[in-house]
Amino acid sequence: MSVASLLDHAATGGRLSVADGVRLYREAPLHELGAAAHYRRQMLYPEPVVTYVIDTTINYTNICNVHCTFCAFFRPEKHAEGYTMSHEQVLDRVKWAADQGATQIMIQGGVNPELDLSWFERLFERVRREFPEVDIHSLSVSEINGLAKVEGMTAREVLERLRDAGLKSLPGAGAEVLVERVRQRISARKIVPDEWIGIMRDAQLLGLPTTATMMFGSIERDEERIEHLEVIRSLQDETGGFTAFIPWYYVPYATPLKGQEATGLEYLRVLALSRLYLHNIPHLQASWLTPGLKMGQLALFYGCDDMGGTILEERVVHDAGSTNTATRTQLENIIRQAGYTPVIRDTYWNLRPEMALAT
Ligand code: SF4
């Protein structure tokens, strides 16, 4: 099949093989790839609307025993710069975000073996009780796995306990690129790709919706990016539990791994290919946090239907060297200037138009 025919096939919802994905990634002209992804996005969401969520990320601890080489945020145990927030400190941050309209909080940190499951249960129960308007979309697969080790339990048992304490959904963090060669090079102490998928499957089968991410641009090859998409798509075939896919690129400036930042064109290519390849995942998020708001705006023409969150605060990506921030007004302006109406959503993609800023 020609590249043009493959693009037509994918733009109308046809399924691509791994070989098709690699071929389109390498050979399709960028704007034709983008046009096909945009067509697909318009088919899925014909209304001229772009959604976003008011959210924040609370990085409650930077102590971590995983030591990823692409991470500038973590500190090993006993390090003088290590910190762990108290419950009161986390709740203060939740209150600050809730006062600004946040409906979603991501409590996420390092894999700190000094924190046990009851620490999180007590925290989540307090958040649920004191801030019922806020959904707890929190903890990475790595943190769930770390808690399972601390407790001598299965990840499924940990997820069940956390769900009962108030966890509403699981972010897709910690996937990077789900290929064993890549994991060994950038996060050798992290769980292997099959374990990541297993914990995601457990979460989804327990009724917790999840997102999926890809941190690209470290050391992976282009065909490994497509392998990652294939792993995510296969689990979605099985469970239907992913709400959105969020590709974002590695920020190298302060990390041990170093390297080069991905270019804007590469970012757009990954987005468009993701929209076409992941025909079974409903939403594609523009991750403005690493490429910035202007690229985030362009992303709306390369397959994205969602601007992600306001991310009122965050440390992990900023410690790696990102300086990007956004206010609600800025997010709404770039959406409007792209010809769409901004609409607030919650974690489950329920629209909350009553929360939009006055124009
Ligand atoms: S990316 Fe997460 S798991 Fe890896 S070192 Fe940083 S905090 Fe730890």
PDB file of all heavy atoms in Angstrom, residues 323-338:
ATOM      1  N   THR A 323      10.775  25.259  31.824  1.00  0.00           N
ATOM      2  CA  THR A 323      10.376  26.499  32.493  1.00  0.00           C
ATOM      3  C   THR A 323       8.927  26.850  32.169  1.00  0.00           C
ATOM      4  O   THR A 323       8.461  27.945  32.482  1.00  0.00           O
ATOM      5  CB  THR A 323      11.279  27.673  32.040  1.00  0.00           C
ATOM      6  OG1 THR A 323      11.239  27.725  30.611  1.00  0.00           O
ATOM      7  CG2 THR A 323      12.712  27.479  32.501  1.00  0.00           C
ATOM      8  N   ASN A 324       8.210  25.933  31.531  1.00  0.00           N
ATOM      9  CA  ASN A 324       6.861  26.253  31.054  1.00  0.00           C
ATOM     10  C   ASN A 324       5.825  26.215  32.175  1.00  0.00           C
ATOM     11  O   ASN A 324       5.818  25.294  32.988  1.00  0.00           O
ATOM     12  CB  ASN A 324       6.444  25.272  29.958  1.00  0.00           C
ATOM     13  CG  ASN A 324       7.314  25.412  28.727  1.00  0.00           C
ATOM     14  OD1 ASN A 324       7.573  26.521  28.284  1.00  0.00           O
ATOM     15  ND2 ASN A 324       7.779  24.301  28.174  1.00  0.00           N
ATOM     16  N   THR A 325       4.968  27.213  32.161  1.00  0.00           N
ATOM     17  CA  THR A 325       3.816  27.237  33.063  1.00  0.00           C
ATOM     18  C   THR A 325       2.636  27.787  32.247  1.00  0.00           C
ATOM     19  O   THR A 325       2.834  28.336  31.162  1.00  0.00           O
ATOM     20  CB  THR A 325       4.035  28.179  34.268  1.00  0.00           C
ATOM     21  OG1 THR A 325       4.333  29.492  33.757  1.00  0.00           O
ATOM     22  CG2 THR A 325       5.176  27.713  35.154  1.00  0.00           C
ATOM     23  N   ALA A 326       1.436  27.630  32.770  1.00  0.00           N
ATOM     24  CA  ALA A 326       0.276  28.177  32.056  1.00  0.00           C
ATOM     25  C   ALA A 326      -0.794  28.568  33.060  1.00  0.00           C
ATOM     26  O   ALA A 326      -1.005  27.865  34.049  1.00  0.00           O
ATOM     27  CB  ALA A 326      -0.289  27.147  31.087  1.00  0.00           C
ATOM     28  N   THR A 327      -1.456  29.677  32.793  1.00  0.00           N
ATOM     29  CA  THR A 327      -2.631  30.035  33.576  1.00  0.00           C
ATOM     30  C   THR A 327      -3.868  29.554  32.816  1.00  0.00           C
ATOM     31  O   THR A 327      -3.795  29.246  31.618  1.00  0.00           O
ATOM     32  CB  THR A 327      -2.736  31.556  33.753  1.00  0.00           C
ATOM     33  OG1 THR A 327      -2.927  32.136  32.448  1.00  0.00           O
ATOM     34  CG2 THR A 327      -1.482  32.124  34.404  1.00  0.00           C
ATOM     35  N   ARG A 328      -4.986  29.554  33.504  1.00  0.00           N
ATOM     36  CA  ARG A 328      -6.238  29.176  32.824  1.00  0.00           C
ATOM     37  C   ARG A 328      -6.511  30.126  31.668  1.00  0.00           C
ATOM     38  O   ARG A 328      -6.930  29.705  30.596  1.00  0.00           O
ATOM     39  CB  ARG A 328      -7.411  29.233  33.807  1.00  0.00           C
ATOM     40  CG  ARG A 328      -7.484  28.052  34.730  1.00  0.00           C
ATOM     41  CD  ARG A 328      -8.755  28.099  35.557  1.00  0.00           C
ATOM     42  NE  ARG A 328      -9.948  27.972  34.719  1.00  0.00           N
ATOM     43  CZ  ARG A 328     -11.189  28.126  35.172  1.00  0.00           C
ATOM     44  NH1 ARG A 328     -11.400  28.424  36.435  1.00  0.00           N
ATOM     45  NH2 ARG A 328     -12.214  27.984  34.362  1.00  0.00           N
ATOM     46  N   THR A 329      -6.270  31.409  31.895  1.00  0.00           N
ATOM     47  CA  THR A 329      -6.535  32.396  30.842  1.00  0.00           C
ATOM     48  C   THR A 329      -5.672  32.108  29.622  1.00  0.00           C
ATOM     49  O   THR A 329      -6.155  32.148  28.480  1.00  0.00           O
ATOM     50  CB  THR A 329      -6.250  33.821  31.376  1.00  0.00           C
ATOM     51  OG1 THR A 329      -7.065  34.006  32.531  1.00  0.00           O
ATOM     52  CG2 THR A 329      -6.558  34.875  30.342  1.00  0.00           C
ATOM     53  N   GLN A 330      -4.390  31.794  29.854  1.00  0.00           N
ATOM     54  CA  GLN A 330      -3.511  31.486  28.712  1.00  0.00           C
ATOM     55  C   GLN A 330      -3.987  30.247  27.965  1.00  0.00           C
ATOM     56  O   GLN A 330      -4.016  30.229  26.734  1.00  0.00           O
ATOM     57  CB  GLN A 330      -2.076  31.272  29.206  1.00  0.00           C
ATOM     58  CG  GLN A 330      -1.374  32.550  29.603  1.00  0.00           C
ATOM     59  CD  GLN A 330      -0.034  32.252  30.263  1.00  0.00           C
ATOM     60  OE1 GLN A 330       0.085  31.381  31.125  1.00  0.00           O
ATOM     61  NE2 GLN A 330       0.983  32.977  29.857  1.00  0.00           N
ATOM     62  N   LEU A 331      -4.350  29.208  28.712  1.00  0.00           N
ATOM     63  CA  LEU A 331      -4.823  27.979  28.054  1.00  0.00           C
ATOM     64  C   LEU A 331      -6.066  28.264  27.229  1.00  0.00           C
ATOM     65  O   LEU A 331      -6.177  27.838  26.070  1.00  0.00           O
ATOM     66  CB  LEU A 331      -5.151  26.898  29.091  1.00  0.00           C
ATOM     67  CG  LEU A 331      -4.029  26.064  29.673  1.00  0.00           C
ATOM     68  CD1 LEU A 331      -4.595  24.959  30.554  1.00  0.00           C
ATOM     69  CD2 LEU A 331      -3.181  25.435  28.571  1.00  0.00           C
ATOM     70  N   GLU A 332      -7.009  29.014  27.827  1.00  0.00           N
ATOM     71  CA  GLU A 332      -8.255  29.285  27.102  1.00  0.00           C
ATOM     72  C   GLU A 332      -7.985  30.162  25.877  1.00  0.00           C
ATOM     73  O   GLU A 332      -8.600  29.980  24.827  1.00  0.00           O
ATOM     74  CB  GLU A 332      -9.290  29.919  28.037  1.00  0.00           C
ATOM     75  CG  GLU A 332      -9.716  28.953  29.135  1.00  0.00           C
ATOM     76  CD  GLU A 332     -11.161  29.085  29.556  1.00  0.00           C
ATOM     77  OE1 GLU A 332     -11.846  30.022  29.081  1.00  0.00           O
ATOM     78  OE2 GLU A 332     -11.613  28.239  30.360  1.00  0.00           O
ATOM     79  N   ASN A 333      -7.043  31.110  26.004  1.00  0.00           N
ATOM     80  CA  ASN A 333      -6.736  31.984  24.858  1.00  0.00           C
ATOM     81  C   ASN A 333      -6.152  31.195  23.689  1.00  0.00           C
ATOM     82  O   ASN A 333      -6.534  31.405  22.539  1.00  0.00           O
ATOM     83  CB  ASN A 333      -5.750  33.081  25.270  1.00  0.00           C
ATOM     84  CG  ASN A 333      -6.462  34.213  25.979  1.00  0.00           C
ATOM     85  OD1 ASN A 333      -7.693  34.316  25.916  1.00  0.00           O
ATOM     86  ND2 ASN A 333      -5.710  35.049  26.675  1.00  0.00           N
ATOM     87  N   ILE A 334      -5.210  30.289  23.981  1.00  0.00           N
ATOM     88  CA  ILE A 334      -4.608  29.577  22.843  1.00  0.00           C
ATOM     89  C   ILE A 334      -5.617  28.631  22.203  1.00  0.00           C
ATOM     90  O   ILE A 334      -5.586  28.408  20.998  1.00  0.00           O
ATOM     91  CB  ILE A 334      -3.297  28.834  23.211  1.00  0.00           C
ATOM     92  CG1 ILE A 334      -3.531  27.757  24.246  1.00  0.00           C
ATOM     93  CG2 ILE A 334      -2.207  29.781  23.637  1.00  0.00           C
ATOM     94  CD1 ILE A 334      -2.366  26.789  24.311  1.00  0.00           C
ATOM     95  N   ILE A 335      -6.532  28.099  23.005  1.00  0.00           N
ATOM     96  CA  ILE A 335      -7.579  27.231  22.434  1.00  0.00           C
ATOM     97  C   ILE A 335      -8.504  28.056  21.543  1.00  0.00           C
ATOM     98  O   ILE A 335      -8.806  27.688  20.406  1.00  0.00           O
ATOM     99  CB  ILE A 335      -8.363  26.523  23.564  1.00  0.00           C
ATOM    100  CG1 ILE A 335      -7.459  25.525  24.296  1.00  0.00           C
ATOM    101  CG2 ILE A 335      -9.593  25.830  23.007  1.00  0.00           C
ATOM    102  CD1 ILE A 335      -8.045  24.950  25.585  1.00  0.00           C
ATOM    103  N   ARG A 336      -8.922  29.230  22.056  1.00  0.00           N
ATOM    104  CA  ARG A 336      -9.833  30.088  21.265  1.00  0.00           C
ATOM    105  C   ARG A 336      -9.181  30.548  19.972  1.00  0.00           C
ATOM    106  O   ARG A 336      -9.792  30.547  18.908  1.00  0.00           O
ATOM    107  CB  ARG A 336     -10.236  31.314  22.083  1.00  0.00           C
ATOM    108  CG  ARG A 336     -11.360  31.060  23.003  1.00  0.00           C
ATOM    109  CD  ARG A 336     -12.174  32.290  23.381  1.00  0.00           C
ATOM    110  NE  ARG A 336     -13.131  31.818  24.370  1.00  0.00           N
ATOM    111  CZ  ARG A 336     -12.850  31.686  25.658  1.00  0.00           C
ATOM    112  NH1 ARG A 336     -11.672  32.050  26.116  1.00  0.00           N
ATOM    113  NH2 ARG A 336     -13.753  31.221  26.493  1.00  0.00           N
ATOM    114  N   GLN A 337      -7.902  30.955  20.093  1.00  0.00           N
ATOM    115  CA  GLN A 337      -7.221  31.458  18.895  1.00  0.00           C
ATOM    116  C   GLN A 337      -7.004  30.351  17.860  1.00  0.00           C
ATOM    117  O   GLN A 337      -6.768  30.641  16.686  1.00  0.00           O
ATOM    118  CB  GLN A 337      -5.901  32.121  19.285  1.00  0.00           C
ATOM    119  CG  GLN A 337      -6.137  33.481  19.932  1.00  0.00           C
ATOM    120  CD  GLN A 337      -4.925  33.989  20.675  1.00  0.00           C
ATOM    121  OE1 GLN A 337      -3.818  33.518  20.469  1.00  0.00           O
ATOM    122  NE2 GLN A 337      -5.146  34.957  21.561  1.00  0.00           N
ATOM    123  N   ALA A 338      -7.086  29.107  18.291  1.00  0.00           N
ATOM    124  CA  ALA A 338      -6.992  27.984  17.337  1.00  0.00           C
ATOM    125  C   ALA A 338      -8.358  27.674  16.715  1.00  0.00           C
ATOM    126  O   ALA A 338      -8.468  26.771  15.888  1.00  0.00           O
ATOM    127  CB  ALA A 338      -6.440  26.749  18.045  1.00  0.00           C
TER     128      ALA A 338
END
